[in-house]
Every structure is written in C-alpha cells, then in structure tokens.
Amino acid sequence: ISISWLQDKFIKDHGQASSVVKIFSFVSSILLMVINYLIGRAIRALAGHEKHGTYTGYFTGMARKLNMAQFINAAFTTLVAKIIITTNFNDDKNDFLQQANFYSSGGLMESMFFVFITGAISTPVSTFLDPWYYLKLYQRYRASKDSKDLTQKEAHDIFEGVSVDMSYKYSLVVKSVLLASFYAPSLPIIIVFSIIGLALLYWVDKYIFLRRAALPFSLGSELAESMIEYLEWSTFIYALGNLLVVYSLDDHTGALAFRTVPKIWGWVDLVVSVI
C-alpha cells in the first residue's frame, strides 16, 4: 500500500513516463517475493509443532497452507493496494474497479508484470544458489582438512546430502499456476513467463535431486493427489480473473471496453468453471 501511494503521488507530480514509476513496481515485486519467503518459513516453523502420524500428512498439511497463503499474498495484496490508493470517487466513472489504476503506468498490471518476470528468474536461481548447500560444502572442506574433532554423527550430518522439502516444491508449482491463471486474461504474456519459470525450476530441481539431495522421505500418494486438486481450481481462478477484466478494462476513449457485452456471460463462465 505504501509503494502504491508513492507511485500514485509521483505520477501526479511528474507524470507517468518516468522510469521511477517502473522502479517502484520492481521493488514491489521483490517485496512480494520476500514476504512470501518469510510466510513460508513461518508456516514451516509452526508446522513442526503439529502432530502428524506420517511424513505424508505433515508435508500435505504444510503444502496446503503454503499454497493458500502465498497465492493470496501474491494475487490480491497488490490488487487491494491499487484499489485503496488509486480509486478516486470523484471521478465520472461509476464503477470503482474502473477508477483504480490497473492498466496504465504504475498500475496493477505493470506491477504484476514485474512479479512474473522476477519470479520466473529468481525462483530457479535462488533454488540453485541455496546458501545452506554452499555452507555445507565449506563444512565438508574443513572436515576433510581436519576431522579429528568430529564425531561419527557430525561427519554423517556434514557429508549427507541436503534435505528436500517436498511441500515447498509443490507449493511453488501450484502458486505459479494459480497466479498465472488469475492474471492471464489481463496479461496473456505471463503464461509464457510461467512456462519458462516452471521449466527452469524443473531442471534445477532435477539436478538437485540427483546431485545434491539426500534420499527424501518415502511419501504416499496423498500429497500429489492433494496438489492436483488445487490445480483443478485454476479454471475457476481463470474465470475470476476474466471477470476482473470485464468490469475494469477501459478502451481508448476511457469508457468501459466491455460495456456492449452482457456481463452475465462472465458470471455464467464462473459458474461453469466451478461445475
């Protein structure tokens, strides 16, 4: 909300052409990623106190929380911020969704454009450049030079591969698909960014599983089946994003672009997607 307020103030004072407006959008995308990371750490720390009977139940419960928290934060935080800051109720437009700055410079779609670009690149890169892995490499180097003070258990811990959090791996994929579904009607190019990001993440994860990771816990099918159920909601999320476009998109005259189209079809689309 603060970044949206600064953007709106800068646009009013200096116009929309300034690159500073885009810098604000880029900073907002980085902030969203940092907050999502912190949410993930907090959820995983709290999930450690839950009493699950199996590792499958533990990872499934954690993945569900990660999916919802990270998707809601990424999809709706910036949306709500733009509505709160840029809505001008003295405007001639009657629909508050039209009054909000969604499509022009410094608007919602510009911010989300940067979110998808940074996400497609930074998520695979940060996964590959895991600082805990390189810390373990340093510990192995030191242990190979002087191991006389190490117990057998300490040596095992240092030379064992890194552990893999399957709930986090699943949540990254589910969050990416749902987020792309919501904003695809407004920004079709983000489908391309998401495909690139998921492809890079696939190869990075494959490398980590084969070359770095310890053997994961043996998991049942519950986790995969639960995540597939989340992916099935992408149709509904897409229809919801389509409604946002129908009610907010302006044409070149500033009027509602879909004013001649019966909006009932958007709602029918939503109902069919649920079915």
Side-chain angles (χ1 to χ4, degrees):
I1 292 175
S2 300
I3 291 174
S4 295
W5 179 81
L6 289 171
Q7 274 186 316
D8 191 56
K9 189 175 186 302
F10 193 90
I11 289 172
K12 290 176 180 176
D13 294 341
H14 304 282
Q16 296 184 348
S18 174
S19 59
V20 176
V21 176
K22 290 179 173 55
I23 292 175
F24 279 128
S25 296
F26 177 71
V27 171
S28 179
S29 69
I30 297 297
L31 182 62
L32 272 177
M33 293 183 58
V34 171
I35 293 175
N36 261 351
Y37 172 78
L38 295 177
I39 288 174
R41 298 294 297 184
I43 288 176
R44 278 179 280 181
L46 292 171
H49 298 283
E50 296 176 354
K51 306 300 180 183
H52 293 281
T54 63
Y55 280 113
T56 302
Y58 166 74
F59 283 119
T60 302
M62 191 158 57
R64 286 171 176 166
K65 299 179 185 71
L66 286 168
N67 289 342
M68 295 307 297
Q70 294 187 342
F71 167 67
I72 290 172
N73 179 52
F76 297 112
T77 300
T78 308
L79 171 65
V80 172
K82 296 300 179 184
I83 292 175
I84 291 173
I85 295 300
T86 62
T87 298
N88 179 7
F89 291 99
N90 296 320
D91 202 314
D92 295 333
K93 300 173 183 176
N94 296 320
D95 192 338
F96 80 97
L97 285 178
Q98 277 186 275
Q99 298 164 26
N101 180 9
F102 284 173
Y103 301 98
S104 58
S105 180
L108 172 67
M109 299 311 161
E110 183 177 89
S111 297
M112 296 311 300
F113 181 81
F114 283 104
V115 167
F116 279 94
I117 288 182
T118 53
I121 298 173
S122 64
T123 301
V125 170
S126 62
T127 302
F128 183 79
L129 300 178
D130 181 8
W132 301 110
Y133 170 71
Y134 290 99
L135 175 61
K136 181 164 282 196
L137 287 184
Y138 175 70
Q139 291 173 333
R140 290 174 184 174
Y141 171 77
R142 289 191 58 185
S144 64
K145 294 294 184 182
D146 183 12
S147 60
K148 63 179 183 295
D149 295 329
L150 285 178
T151 65
Q152 189 66 54
K153 183 181 185 305
E154 289 172 338
H156 282 165
D157 290 340
I158 291 174
F159 284 90
E160 184 183 37
V162 294
S163 60
V164 177
D165 186 343
M166 292 305 299
S167 61
Y168 182 68
K169 298 294 185 185
Y170 271 107
S171 69
L172 284 177
V173 175
V174 173
K175 184 257 297 180
S176 298
V177 173
L178 295 183
L179 192 61
S181 299
F182 186 69
Y183 284 105
S186 309
L187 286 169
I189 190 66
I190 64 176
I191 297 175
V192 177
F193 294 153
S194 298
I195 291 172
I196 293 173
L198 289 173
L200 291 174
L201 189 61
Y202 167 81
W203 285 106
V204 168
D205 281 342
K206 188 169 186 174
Y207 170 79
I208 289 174
F209 283 136
L210 295 176
R211 296 290 181 265
R212 294 185 185 178
L215 187 66
F217 295 109
S218 179
L219 301 176
S221 61
E222 180 187 354
L223 176 59
E225 291 169 356
S226 177
M227 296 304 101
I228 289 173
E229 289 178 3
Y230 273 95
L231 290 178
E232 289 172 352
W233 281 97
S234 60
T235 311
F236 170 77
I237 298 297
Y238 186 92
L240 202 63
N242 188 57
L243 269 182
L244 179 68
V245 176
V246 168
Y247 277 92
S248 65
L249 184 63
D250 291 346
D251 62 17
H252 65 283
T253 65
L256 188 63
F258 288 92
R259 63 191 182 279
T260 59
V261 178
K263 295 184 179 62
I264 185 63
W265 291 113
W267 292 100
V268 169
D269 181 32
L270 195 70
V271 172
V272 170
S273 71
V274 174
I275 295 172

